[in-house]
Amino acid sequence: MKNILLFLFSVLTILSCKENTEQTAQNKENANSSIFLLDSKWQNQDAEELQLKDLKGKNLVMVMIFTSCRTACPILVGDMKKIHAKIEKNKLKDTSLVLISIDPTNDTPEVLKKFAAERNMDSEPWIFLKSDEESTREFANVLAVKYKKISPIEFSHSNIISVFNRNGELVSQEEGSGINSDAVAKTVNELK
């Protein structure tokens, strides 16, 4: 009986090590993945159609929000504005600040445009995007953003700001409301 238990423990240990090795390899592969490989279609605040690969060549600071939010999203928008103010001018021309709606039904390009204008975010480097439900959910999963509709105009969601390099590879993420805008800006300022 003792030998059988020892044998089972050994097999489980070997399988566990193999799983961890496979998971580590998968994590490394995902770390080298680019959001530009996603083929989803998006619309910006000017109702222009684009794909994420159209953002290639600039560093990206991205956050997912919805415009009717009255709790966390105004804080996230404020965080994005703080980050904008702390990015060096020579880096700012190589950076896009992207706000992606998790409410594609209500956040039409017209709504996004008005939202941007009311907050003085209606020129470069600001970009507001919306897509369909499926593409929005897919992108949220890439960013590890969780969200759930809790009423016709309200969502519960993660508060994550992500930084991507010019190749669309995730460089860093900050989570929470009132994130460390200095750390995000520093990351952007150090990118090539």
Side-chain angles (χ1 to χ4, degrees):
M1 182 69 166
K2 198 176 195 180
N3 288 340
I4 291 173
L5 288 174
L6 185 58
F7 173 75
L8 287 174
F9 178 74
S10 298
V11 169
L12 287 174
T13 302
I14 290 169
L15 289 175
S16 172
C17 289
K18 182 180 178 191
E19 244 179 66
N20 286 342
T21 303
E22 288 171 2
Q23 186 67 38
T24 301
Q26 184 179 0
N27 287 344
K28 283 182 183 176
E29 183 181 317
N30 289 343
N32 294 326
S33 295
S34 170
I35 59 170
F36 301 143
L37 297 175
L38 298 172
D39 62 355
S40 50
K41 304 237 185 296
W42 298 81
Q43 278 188 310
N44 68 14
Q45 67 271 26
D46 296 318
E48 297 169 338
E49 301 247 342
L50 60 104
Q51 290 184 289
L52 294 174
K53 66 183 176 185
D54 296 325
L55 303 176
K56 190 173 188 173
K58 291 199 173 195
N59 299 314
L60 306 171
V61 182
M62 302 182 118
V63 67
M64 297 189 85
I65 64 160
F66 63 105
T67 61
S68 60
C69 179
R70 300 290 172 245
T71 53
C73 296
I75 296 169
L76 289 168
V77 170
D79 290 339
M80 291 290 281
K81 290 181 100 170
K82 287 177 191 171
I83 293 164
H84 174 259
K86 294 175 183 180
I87 296 174
E88 297 167 3
K89 287 197 188 301
N90 64 328
K91 286 293 182 180
L92 201 52
K93 64 182 173 49
D94 297 322
T95 304
S96 292
L97 296 140
V98 185
L99 294 89
I100 298 171
S101 174
I102 60 174
D103 186 10
T105 302
N106 295 308
D107 286 342
T108 63
E110 297 78 21
V111 169
L112 293 174
K113 189 171 187 81
K114 181 180 178 196
F115 183 87
E118 289 171 348
R119 288 154 185 79
N120 296 317
M121 301 166 78
D122 53 349
S123 60
E124 287 191 9
W126 300 103
I127 300 172
F128 288 77
L129 296 177
K130 71 161 295 254
S131 190
D132 57 46
E133 292 283 343
E134 184 180 333
S135 297
T136 303
R137 183 68 64 188
E138 176 187 43
F139 192 66
N141 286 334
V142 168
L143 296 182
V145 170
K146 307 289 185 229
Y147 68 93
K148 180 180 179 180
K149 194 170 201 169
I150 55 177
S151 80
I153 60 165
E154 195 66 33
F155 291 81
S156 171
H157 61 91
S158 308
N159 302 322
I160 299 175
I161 294 180
S162 305
V163 177
F164 292 86
N165 66 19
R166 294 172 190 247
N167 297 318
E169 299 160 336
L170 182 64
V171 175
S172 73
Q173 289 187 304
E174 289 283 328
E175 187 171 3
S177 58
I179 59 100
N180 185 344
S181 57
D182 289 327
V184 176
K186 182 176 187 289
T187 299
V188 173
N189 289 331
E190 290 174 354
L191 290 173
K192 294 185 180 197

